[in-house]
Amino acid sequence: MTTRALSYREWLARSLARALLADARQPGGTAPDALRARAAATLGADPPWLKPFAEALGNRSQATWRRTDLPALAKAIHDMPELDLAFAQDDLPRVRRIILRPAEMLPRPMGLDHFALPHVPTLSELAQWLELDPERLAWLTSAAQGFREPDAAGARPASHYRYQLQPKRLGGLRLLEIPKADLKRVQRRILDDLLQHVPVHEAAHGFVQGRSVASHAAAHAGKEVVIGFDLCDFFASVRASRVHATWRTLGYPEGVARALTALCTHRTDSAVVERLRDDGGLDWLGARRLAAPHLPQGSPCSPALANLCAFRLDLRLEGLAWVFGATYTRYADDLVFSGPASLRSQFTALRAWVGGIAADEGFTLHPRKVRCMPQHRQQRVTGVVVNQKANAPREDFDRLKAVLHQCVLHGPTGQNRARVSDFRGHLLGHIAWIGQFNHGRKVRLMRLFDRIEWPQVTTHMTTQITPHTTQPPS
């Protein structure tokens, strides 16, 4: 990947921006005289054009200066008409010295400023926080890992991910991009100690502590009309540029934001993309999404980052729902609106607006996964029936009850047709799923479960007698 060379005007603007930001957060650091002095120190001279240049920048508000970083200020300086005066002279301005400022966190937007997020303004502090050697961090974030193609000899760059292809319920293959142990530990640290402390939009119910499929469905219980949409390739649609913007919004400097983005995004191997295309379940647009750095489905960080990156999508769709007199929630890629009977006649308009907003935010509606469910039909939200109240479908309860009954009569071994490794835990999970909506059904299912005779596991144990001690054995 090549980098465009800076023009002389761009290089001058960047050099001046470095000097002006050096003491911008000190008292009086953005006054015109202070700005002019630092610019003059950079140029080794004080030409007449510096005075109107410094006065124009000195008129910027303190709030603007607090949110200004090097790329933004360099671009602003590059576009200033006052800089034209510097190039109207016979002698071009020359940069005599580079004035650097220490890296520091940027202020976060109002509402996020009181959350305790890790203070990591530099790459060395990021490596220390992640408990990595700087060289290891550089290896995990190297751009070559994501963009280098095989050379003529067939050598491939080191990959930090392994791939799994799983069959979808309606056909095709689902791609899981699972980070290897070292990167997964780093991503888990980012999730637990950073992302979990950042609130998401109230409409987001997927992968959010205290919210679930049940809360997502309950928001639409007893409504006259329920309308559902699905987003295509939800995680792959979140590009690295949007993830990078999220880190910058949280106050992390450019270098740290780039490193965090590299740790949390991935570019799918071309051979895997071709395999998915050969299967017929991946169109050209989907292949393009995977070929660019994106949130990988399988990373611990991806759900939380996807919710943060979809904040504006949720904000706009919630406003749209208010206009239509409806309620809106989202569970990952599942968008649901519900409201009065009039919503059914407005379905075409609602669909057009939702599709337009989703496209504007970088997402695409799945054309075959649109549901308009009036109350005289069964209304389902993520598999939960919501006609009167949120409840598991009756057929799910009947099916599980029949399996448990067969386990009681003939033993559990022959009933594990899916060859689940922990069949006992599998059954308990299904009982818990149904029981969260209907306690009476849970009681009935547990009575059957408690009558199952599970085979005894024979183990050979060696008993070792140790003297009594006040400390636990090591």
Side-chain angles (χ1 to χ4, degrees):
M1 192 171 67
T2 58
T3 303
R4 181 180 65 86
L6 295 178
S7 67
Y8 186 78
R9 185 181 179 113
E10 289 172 327
W11 183 73
L12 175 65
R14 181 169 284 265
S15 300
L16 289 171
R18 291 185 187 278
L20 300 184
L21 286 173
D23 292 324
R25 291 182 175 83
Q26 299 298 323
T30 58
D33 290 344
L35 296 174
R36 183 178 178 182
R38 296 203 296 279
T42 293
L43 301 175
D46 188 8
W49 62 268
L50 271 189
K51 182 176 180 181
F53 171 82
E55 289 176 348
L57 288 173
N59 289 329
R60 294 160 64 98
S61 68
Q62 287 301 311
T64 301
W65 275 105
R66 284 195 298 270
R67 291 296 306 167
T68 297
D69 58 5
L70 178 62
L73 183 58
K75 185 180 186 307
I77 292 174
H78 177 274
D79 297 338
M80 287 177 64
E82 289 79 6
L83 193 63
D84 294 340
L85 300 175
F87 289 87
Q89 311 297 321
D90 293 334
D91 294 331
L92 291 177
R94 296 178 180 272
V95 176
R96 300 298 183 182
R97 60 177 61 87
I98 300 294
I99 301 177
L100 302 178
R101 66 184 178 93
E104 56 185 352
M105 300 282 289
L106 294 174
R108 298 193 292 272
M110 185 179 299
L112 295 178
D113 48 0
H114 64 283
F115 291 99
L117 302 183
H119 185 84
V120 283
T122 65
L123 287 177
S124 60
E125 288 170 291
L126 176 63
Q128 184 178 10
W129 177 66
L130 293 174
E131 299 178 356
L132 293 172
D133 293 329
E135 295 79 9
R136 191 68 171 176
L137 176 63
W139 182 69
L140 288 173
T141 60
S142 171
Q145 308 300 333
F147 292 93
R148 186 163 45 137
E149 293 296 332
D151 58 23
R156 303 190 66 82
S159 174
H160 302 305
Y161 288 82
R162 57 186 178 87
Y163 302 100
Q164 283 186 6
L165 298 177
Q166 297 181 347
K168 294 182 180 178
R169 184 170 56 89
L170 299 178
L173 295 174
R174 174 179 289 104
L175 171 65
L176 294 182
E177 300 172 297
I178 304 171
K180 294 180 181 177
D182 204 15
L183 180 59
K184 188 174 184 178
R185 181 191 63 79
V186 169
Q187 291 176 347
R188 176 59 64 179
R189 178 69 183 274
I190 294 172
L191 173 65
D192 292 343
D193 295 346
L194 198 163
L195 293 173
Q196 294 281 32
H197 299 290
V198 184
V200 300
H201 195 277
E202 290 83 355
H205 286 254
F207 320 109
V208 180
Q209 189 173 6
R211 305 177 205 170
S212 64
V213 168
S215 63
H216 173 55
H220 306 282
K223 301 296 181 66
E224 295 184 2
V225 177
V226 177
I227 299 175
F229 306 93
D230 271 29
L231 299 174
C232 293
D233 304 328
F234 178 58
F235 290 111
S237 296
V238 182
R239 299 291 186 90
S241 57
R242 183 162 293 195
V243 176
H244 177 269
T246 299
W247 295 126
R248 297 290 283 146
T249 301
L250 294 177
Y252 291 98
E254 179 67 24
V256 173
R258 282 199 305 267
L260 287 170
T261 301
L263 290 170
C264 298
T265 59
H266 176 59
R267 178 183 177 183
T268 309
D269 188 276
S270 58
V272 178
V273 174
E274 288 302 317
R275 170 68 178 85
L276 289 169
R277 296 207 68 182
D278 291 342
D279 182 67
L282 187 69
D283 58 12
W284 176 84
L285 187 57
R288 185 180 176 184
R289 292 189 187 104
L290 293 177
H294 59 273
L295 288 181
Q297 185 172 354
S299 162
C301 287
S302 291
L305 274 172
N307 279 337
L308 292 176
C309 292
F311 184 89
R312 206 169 77 148
L313 172 73
D314 292 330
L315 192 68
R316 296 178 67 181
L317 291 182
E318 185 185 48
L320 179 68
W322 181 83
V323 171
F324 279 84
T327 299
Y328 161 74
T329 62
R330 177 180 60 82
Y331 189 93
D333 59 353
D334 184 58
L335 316 176
V336 180
F337 294 79
S338 64
S342 59
L343 196 62
R344 189 178 183 185
S345 62
Q346 298 174 302
F347 169 69
T348 302
L350 178 65
R351 180 176 183 175
W353 274 104
V354 172
I357 291 174
D360 195 38
E361 294 298 324
F363 298 96
T364 306
L365 290 186
H366 198 300
R368 298 191 303 274
K369 294 185 178 180
V370 180
R371 294 95 58 200
C372 183
M373 300 167 282
Q375 202 169 40
H376 65 266
R377 291 170 44 198
Q378 190 181 73
Q379 299 169 323
R380 288 199 184 195
V381 174
T382 53
V384 180
V385 178
V386 295
N387 288 71
Q388 299 300 326
K389 63 177 184 177
N391 203 355
R394 175 74 192 198
E395 55 266 31
D396 290 359
F397 169 73
D398 291 339
R399 189 182 305 113
L400 180 57
K401 180 182 175 183
V403 171
L404 292 173
H405 187 69
Q406 291 298 315
C407 289
V408 172
L409 294 179
H410 307 292
T413 304
Q415 305 307 314
N416 187 9
R417 295 184 175 87
R419 300 187 182 277
V420 179
S421 57
D422 182 10
F423 187 50
R424 189 175 188 276
H426 175 74
L427 293 177
L428 285 173
H430 276 272
I431 294 173
W433 162 256
I434 293 174
Q436 69 179 322
F437 303 107
N438 191 312
H439 180 69
R441 287 182 177 179
K442 180 179 180 180
V443 171
R444 293 164 64 185
L445 293 172
M446 284 303 301
R447 285 174 182 166
L448 285 171
F449 180 86
D450 292 339
R451 292 170 56 192
I452 298 174
E453 294 185 6
W454 297 94
Q456 297 293 324
V457 178
T458 304
T459 59
H460 299 281
M461 301 178 60
T462 301
T463 303
Q464 182 177 7
I465 301 176
T466 58
H468 175 73
T469 175
T470 57
Q471 298 293 332
S474 58

